[in-house]
């Protein structure tokens, strides 16, 4: 569009009118065409649903990334993206489920830890490629995570598994287990971290988790630090993550790698803007 158009005094009004015309006239006409001119066509919502990745799409991508051909995996995602799906939709309905599927293969002893780690690392690379963060200068030095348990929790198995998968995918992970909320806050204040990961064992620890997240955001050297959380309570109710002040949650250790990359990419985009 010509720069002269943007300098017009009435550009905001004209844009608002255009949006109104599209919403009030064009879209309703398209819907009528869909139902009247093509009476045998499926409802619009069914068309959209048909575009979504299927379970075979998910398992198919998981098996592709277990191989060594990253370009083949990228082409696989491109085919699905060409259906009209956004990267946000592909993350939620394809990449994250594929990572979860890899975790299930590992749980069922159908893949060993190294295979799953490499597969998750390739999924992470795909996400970075499609989001453009792989072009970031000094990328590896900025992919840092502080991994901690909610103060008062005693079981570190879940946090340790997340740590191992993150390290396998190339993240620089600093453990901060058995720390108080104040000590965790001092740790993120002493060093720049892109992401803070916290696990919680039960609902009783949610108030402590919420307070820890609040201190992390207040004291962090990186004022745009992303916080992801995990544990059984979030597996049962993922929406709870936002309620305690986190940016996201992951169902298992492999999906935590994808969530960390997603949050990292979002932070990069915010910084660029």
């Amino acid at each position: 569009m010509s720069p002269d158009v943007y300098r017009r005094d009435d550009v905001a009004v004209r844009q608002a009118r255009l949006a109104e015309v599209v919403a009030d006239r064009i879209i309703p006409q398209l819907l009528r065409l869909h139902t009247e001119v093509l009476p045998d066509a499926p409802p619009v919502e069914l068309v959209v649903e048909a575009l979504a990745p299927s379970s075979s799409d998910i398992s198919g991508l998981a098996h592709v990334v277990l191989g060594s051909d990253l370009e083949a995996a990228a082409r696989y995602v491109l085919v699905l993206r060409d259906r009209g799906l956004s990267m946000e939709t592909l993350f939620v309905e394809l990449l994250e489920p594929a990572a979860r599927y890899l975790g299930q293969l590992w749980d069922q002893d159908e893949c060993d830890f190294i295979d799953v780690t490499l597969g998750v690392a390739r999924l992470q690379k795909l996400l970075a490629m499609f989001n453009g963060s792989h072009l970031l200068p000094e990328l590896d030095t900025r992919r840092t995570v502080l991994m901690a348990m909610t103060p008062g929790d005693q079981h570190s198995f879940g946090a340790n598994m997340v740590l191992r998968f993150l390290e396998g995918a190339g993240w620089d992970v600093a453990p901060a287990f058995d720390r108080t909320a104040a000590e965790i806050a001092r740790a993120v204040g002493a060093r720049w971290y892109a992401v803070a990961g916290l696990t919680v064992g039960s609902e009783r620890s949610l108030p402590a988790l919420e307070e820890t997240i609040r201190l992390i955001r207040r004291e962090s050297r990186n004022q745009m630090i992303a916080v992801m959380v995990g544990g059984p309570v979030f597996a049962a109710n993922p929406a709870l993550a936002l309620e305690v002040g986190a940016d996201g949650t992951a169902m298992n250790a492999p999906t935590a790698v994808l969530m960390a990359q997603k949050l990292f990419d979002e932070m990069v985009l915010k910084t660029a803007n």
Side-chain angles (χ1 to χ4, degrees):
M1 186 180 292
S2 170
D4 293 337
V5 175
Y6 287 111
R7 287 196 288 267
R8 293 177 59 123
D9 294 335
D10 62 344
V11 65
V13 175
R14 295 167 69 88
Q15 288 176 334
R17 289 176 180 171
L18 178 60
E20 184 177 331
V21 169
V22 171
D24 292 345
R25 298 182 184 179
I26 297 177
I27 292 178
Q29 287 178 11
L30 290 174
L31 290 175
R32 280 197 299 274
L33 284 172
H34 184 82
T35 55
E36 295 174 5
V37 179
L38 300 172
D40 296 329
V44 174
E45 59 269 19
L46 294 182
V47 175
V48 174
E49 183 178 348
L51 293 174
S54 65
S55 58
S56 61
D57 291 330
I58 294 166
S59 60
L61 177 61
H63 287 289
V64 170
V65 297
L66 285 173
S68 58
D69 192 343
L70 186 63
E71 290 186 4
R75 289 194 297 270
Y76 193 102
V77 176
L78 278 172
V79 168
L80 296 177
R81 194 181 70 171
D82 287 346
R83 295 181 185 175
L85 300 175
S86 67
M87 274 313 299
E88 178 66 25
T89 299
L90 286 172
F91 174 83
V92 173
E93 299 189 18
L94 178 67
L95 297 179
E96 193 271 350
R100 189 164 63 244
Y101 180 82
L102 290 176
Q104 292 170 356
L105 293 180
W106 178 47
D107 290 337
Q108 297 164 4
D109 292 327
E110 296 183 35
C111 288
D112 61 26
F113 178 78
I114 294 177
D115 287 334
V116 175
T117 299
L118 291 174
V120 172
R122 293 184 186 107
L123 286 174
Q124 177 183 265
K125 286 183 180 178
L126 286 176
L127 185 60
M129 286 168 55
F130 283 102
N131 285 339
S133 67
H134 68 299
L135 300 174
L136 181 71
E138 300 179 349
L139 173 65
D140 290 337
T141 62
R142 298 189 64 185
R143 291 171 66 242
T144 54
V145 177
L146 181 77
M147 195 68 218
M149 298 185 301
T150 299
D153 278 1
Q154 302 297 322
H155 302 290
S156 61
F157 178 79
N160 270 306
M161 290 311 306
V162 173
L163 184 151
R164 290 178 62 190
F165 273 100
L166 284 167
E167 287 182 334
W171 289 80
D172 178 2
V173 189
F177 302 153
D178 300 322
R179 303 279 186 90
T180 66
E183 289 171 337
I184 294 172
R186 282 197 293 271
V188 296
R191 179 186 173 189
W192 192 97
Y193 290 98
V195 179
L198 295 161
T199 61
V200 64
S202 68
E203 290 186 12
R204 293 193 304 272
S205 298
L206 289 179
L209 174 62
E210 190 170 357
E211 173 64 11
T212 303
I213 293 173
R214 186 185 67 80
L215 290 176
I216 287 173
R217 296 199 187 280
R218 189 184 74 185
E219 302 295 333
S220 178
R221 177 175 291 190
N222 172 18
Q223 283 297 296
M224 298 181 70
I225 190 170
V227 179
M228 66 177 184
V229 292
V233 293
F234 298 110
N237 182 13
L240 192 59
L242 297 180
E243 294 181 21
V244 298
D247 298 297
T249 184
M251 296 292 290
N252 57 19
T255 59
V257 175
L258 270 291
M259 178 55 68
Q261 183 65 46
K262 178 177 183 290
L263 296 176
F264 179 82
D265 291 345
E266 290 174 352
M267 184 189 66
V268 169
L269 290 175
K270 289 178 183 177
T271 302
N273 293 332

